[in-house]
Amino acid sequence: MSDKRQKNQLLLAFVEENRSEAPNGLGEGTESFTAKRRTESPAIGEQLMEEVCERENCKQALARVKANKGSAGVDRMTVQQLPEFLKQHWPAIREQLLSGTYVPQPVKRVEIPKPDAPRFSAGMRKLGIPTVLDRFIQQAVMQVLQRRWDRTFSEHSYGFRPGRSAHQAVAKAQEYIAEGYRWVVDLDLEKFFDRVNHDKLMAKIAGRVSDKRMLKLIRAFLTAGVMENGLVGPVDEGTPQGGPLSPLLSNIMLDDFDRELERRGLRFARYADDSNIYVRSRRAGERVMESMTDSSL
């Protein structure tokens, strides 16, 4: 089959409205498309899941997942296999998303060296790699939510946002230093992501989203579990780093932190889990560090 023909068939799959049998490869615990189930109704006036499943949004999500490549998840499906899988099973997956019954698979635990860790050190970062199908769905969800939420985030947040970059964060830091703010309080918030309370995170999201199907899907991604050394364990806190949705959820959680720093009149720049606060003196830096233990943060 030519690449053009395969692409056209895949596009048709994205808009197929007819029902088909749910794929067996959606993961253990996934409810069959034809099985009896309780469905979630969309909130009046908000149909985010319909936007997630819209053809153009899905085309963009698939292109991004293919471009990012990455390893297979717990089901061992590769990025190269995903288009054919969607061509066969997208109508069933789409119906599960629209009915609020889609169940993600556990993420695969992997460890990678931290970029700034000394060679041969024990500095490792834990990632949770979703299946390629779940990465595709997360990407589609992220695109819809990011279009709504990004403009509400702090101007001092530079990580994983369209039109923003680490280079811009560095430029802002140089600007602060040129103004005489030469002392830096370096906050590493990496462990923050491992301890995020799911209920608090979902409450923040619920303040922005009324579509119950979307809320149910995001919580399902948070609690899908982690496979490590062949065993699946539960997840009751934290936002697993490794999926397309994780950076957006992290920005949601840290937006209050950014706003608090703004309220205090501090000069800072944050890129994902690295936040630097710039002050004029050592004493001012010490005061800021002491205040970081305040519960208001």
Side-chain angles (χ1 to χ4, degrees), residues 55-270:
R55 184 178 72 169
E56 191 60 34
N57 188 60
C58 288
K59 285 170 55 182
Q60 293 175 8
L62 180 60
R64 176 55 59 186
V65 170
K66 291 170 66 177
N68 288 343
K69 300 179 181 179
S71 61
V74 296
D75 63 354
R76 299 183 180 180
M77 186 192 302
T78 66
V79 172
Q80 292 76 20
Q81 294 171 321
L82 179 60
E84 180 66 24
F85 183 86
L86 289 173
K87 185 178 70 174
Q88 296 181 29
H89 300 300
W90 173 244
I93 298 167
R94 178 181 183 275
E95 179 62 22
Q96 290 174 356
L97 291 170
L98 293 178
S99 63
T101 60
Y102 182 81
V103 180
Q105 295 192 65
V107 299
K108 182 175 68 175
R109 172 72 74 213
V110 298
E111 293 187 352
I112 62 171
K114 294 180 181 179
D116 54 352
R119 192 178 183 185
F120 305 122
S121 74
M124 303 292 288
R125 170 167 295 191
K126 290 185 177 182
L127 299 181
I129 306 301
T131 65
V132 292
L133 175 60
D134 285 338
R135 295 209 294 271
F136 163 72
I137 294 173
Q138 284 193 30
Q139 180 68 32
V141 168
M142 186 277 290
Q143 290 169 178
V144 169
L145 297 182
Q146 189 174 66
R147 287 195 290 267
R148 285 169 164 75
W149 295 354
D150 186 75
R151 61 181 178 271
T152 70
F153 293 150
S154 168
E155 64 177 315
H156 302 284
S157 169
Y158 294 91
F160 304 103
R161 297 180 59 190
R164 288 178 167 260
S165 67
H167 292 293
Q168 292 174 336
V170 171
K172 177 57 69 173
Q174 292 172 336
E175 181 181 317
Y176 290 146
I177 293 171
E179 292 172 354
Y181 295 85
R182 298 177 177 274
W183 289 83
V184 182
V185 179
D186 184 6
L187 302 177
D188 184 357
L189 305 172
E190 179 191 350
K191 293 299 181 183
F192 170 89
F193 297 124
D194 298 331
R195 298 172 184 147
V196 168
N197 182 287
H198 289 169
D199 291 336
K200 290 182 178 180
L201 173 57
M202 292 307 303
K204 290 180 183 296
I205 297 173
R208 297 168 177 256
V209 170
S210 57
D211 190 328
K212 293 181 179 180
R213 300 165 302 172
M214 177 67 78
L215 295 173
K216 184 178 180 181
L217 179 62
I218 292 175
R219 184 177 282 276
F221 277 124
L222 290 173
T223 59
V226 176
M227 176 176 284
E228 193 167 10
N229 298 323
L231 299 175
V232 176
V235 175
D236 52 16
E237 65 177 359
T239 56
Q241 300 180 65
L245 192 57
S246 297
L248 182 62
L249 298 183
S250 299
N251 277 332
I252 281 287
M253 280 302 296
L254 287 172
D255 191 55
D256 285 348
F257 174 81
D258 295 338
R259 299 304 181 184
E260 176 63 19
L261 297 185
E262 290 176 354
R263 188 188 67 79
R264 297 185 184 191
L266 296 171
R267 290 161 173 79
F268 72 99
R270 180 176 66 80

